[in-house]
Amino acid sequence: MKFSRLARLACLLVLGMPLAACQRNETAASWQLTDISGHMPDLAFQLTNDQGKAVTAADYRGKVALLYFGYTHCPDVCPLTLAHLHVVMQKLGKLAEGTQILFVSVDPQRDTPEALHTYVTAFDPRVVGLTGSPAEIEALTKRYRAAFSREPGKASDSYEVSHSSGIYIFDAGGKARLLATPDDAQDKLVHDLYLLLSAGGTP
Amino acid sequence: MKPGMLLLWLMPLLPPQVQATQADQIKASHAWIRLLPANLPAAGYVTLDNQGSSAATLVSARSAFYASVMLHQSATDTTGSSSMRMLDRLTVPAHGEVSLAPAGYHLMLQEATHPFKPGETIDITLDFADGSHLRVPFSVRPANAPD
Ligand SMILES: [Cu+2]
């Protein structure tokens, strides 16, 4: 805290830079996750939530949104990510109320709203499961360059889905801000979400 | 009695083989299952510590509680895309350790015979290349259990 005030003072006095520009640099430098501001489009979609209700991104404006692509027949990486996010939410305490985790199924054939509901609620009450038509899902994954593909499994009716493992973070205004990978430490997520949330989504 | 005669008498009492099986060499620890709702496929994790002086190779696994148990590996490619693939075998080097842990090797458990609850223990048998087996108790943990 002391340091940042000093840095701001240095900006004003020594560098003669406008305060706003300086603060921006200061914030950019303090992110621990990958900063994607300006590199990814705003949050936008038309899907069905795990209650069977039609929803759009506008329904989640005002909250910091964590977008993650997965599917319920994914027993290893998807649950690990959701379990991590559960811990992150616990660490954020009351601030977590300002977040919304969006688990978008890339397997809409098997992931009905009911199946998604049972799955996501096993992890954290702040997770919403979203599904839709294959075209709607594809549109969203393409928007964030989160390609996915389906590979046939051993049994004729089984298949595996490969999917992007990143967590896309949007501020309360729906602007893309940060990208977390499953390898990023929980503390980095807590740190950056704390910054986004305590600044009302616009630091 | 001559000393040679004595040895002959004692022969049947000696163990038939000195060589330990691969299963004998393995110490399994931290065995757990991440339980998922609605009979979705689940993952089993375990750390295998080979205390022997030769490699031990896991070739399959089975359980009376699941219709199918497969050896899987999750991997993330350079584009950040994550997928799973099936493995035929997994070798634990001599005096080495291999961990089946989240986002890596895991036992893919499908079609449970009945619904489980966190806190229960489920036996899974690991089969090794030399035909030996190791029965390991796995503790059932909730979906959001930290690793
Ligand atoms: Cu698997």
Side-chain angles (χ1 to χ4, degrees), chain A residues 90-123:
Chain A
Q90 282 181 320
K91 286 188 177 173
L92 284 170
K94 203 143 176 61
L95 273 179
E97 285 165 23
T99 63
Q100 181 67 67
I101 301 166
L102 305 171
F103 181 83
V104 178
S105 171
V106 290
D107 187 11
Q109 271 92 338
R110 287 189 291 199
D111 291 343
T112 60
E114 303 80 60
L116 268 174
H117 184 74
T118 319
Y119 186 79
V120 297
T121 49
F123 294 94

Side-chain angles (χ1 to χ4, degrees), chain A residues 25-175:
Chain A
N25 287 342
E26 188 182 290
T27 311
S30 63
W31 296 124
Q32 294 187 357
L33 301 169
T34 308
D35 189 353
I36 55 166
S37 302
H39 297 284
M40 283 279 177
D42 293 0
L43 187 60
F45 57 79
Q46 267 191 306
L47 294 168
T48 305
N49 73 7
D50 60 53
Q51 311 276 354
K53 221 181 121 226
V55 289
T56 69
D59 293 312
Y60 303 100
R61 287 281 193 274
K63 291 205 171 190
V64 168
L66 282 73
L67 178 70
Y68 179 67
F69 297 97
Y71 62 111
T72 67
H73 283 67
C74 163
D76 185 36
V77 172
C78 305
L80 175 68
T81 306
L82 290 173
H84 277 175
L85 289 179
H86 171 63
V87 176
V88 168
M89 292 298 123
Q90 282 181 320
K91 286 188 177 173
L92 284 170
K94 203 143 176 61
L95 273 179
E97 285 165 23
T99 63
Q100 181 67 67
I101 301 166
L102 305 171
F103 181 83
V104 178
S105 171
V106 290
D107 187 11
Q109 271 92 338
R110 287 189 291 199
D111 291 343
T112 60
E114 303 80 60
L116 268 174
H117 184 74
T118 319
Y119 186 79
V120 297
T121 49
F123 294 94
D124 193 277
R126 278 147 299 213
V127 191
V128 164
L130 298 172
T131 186
S133 69
E136 287 166 332
I137 301 287
E138 208 185 314
L140 186 59
T141 54
K142 278 208 170 127
R143 192 170 168 84
Y144 298 105
R145 292 170 233 151
F148 70 98
S149 63
R150 187 165 302 140
E151 297 132 32
K154 241 174 76 175
S156 57
D157 60 340
S158 82
Y159 52 88
E160 302 286 351
V161 183
S162 74
H163 60 99
S164 160
S165 54
I167 302 161
Y168 300 79
I169 301 171
F170 301 84
D171 64 26
K175 293 254 175 280

Side-chain angles (χ1 to χ4, degrees), chain B residues 51-93:
Chain B
Q51 301 180 326
S53 51
S54 58
T57 302
L58 182 63
V59 290
S60 61
R62 60 206 147 84
S63 172
F65 301 95
Y66 286 95
S68 156
V69 181
M70 285 184 290
L71 192 53
H72 267 203
Q73 183 179 24
S74 294
T76 304
D77 68 17
T78 47
T79 68
S81 180
S82 162
S83 61
M84 298 189 295
R85 68 188 182 103
M86 214 174 83
L87 297 178
D88 289 335
R89 48 184 50 224
L90 180 61
T91 299
V92 188

Side-chain angles (χ1 to χ4, degrees), chain B residues 46-50 90-93 96-100 105:
Chain B
V46 60
T47 299
L48 302 175
D49 179 15
N50 186 354
L90 180 61
T91 299
V92 188
E97 195 182 273
V98 169
S99 284
L100 282 77
Y105 299 122

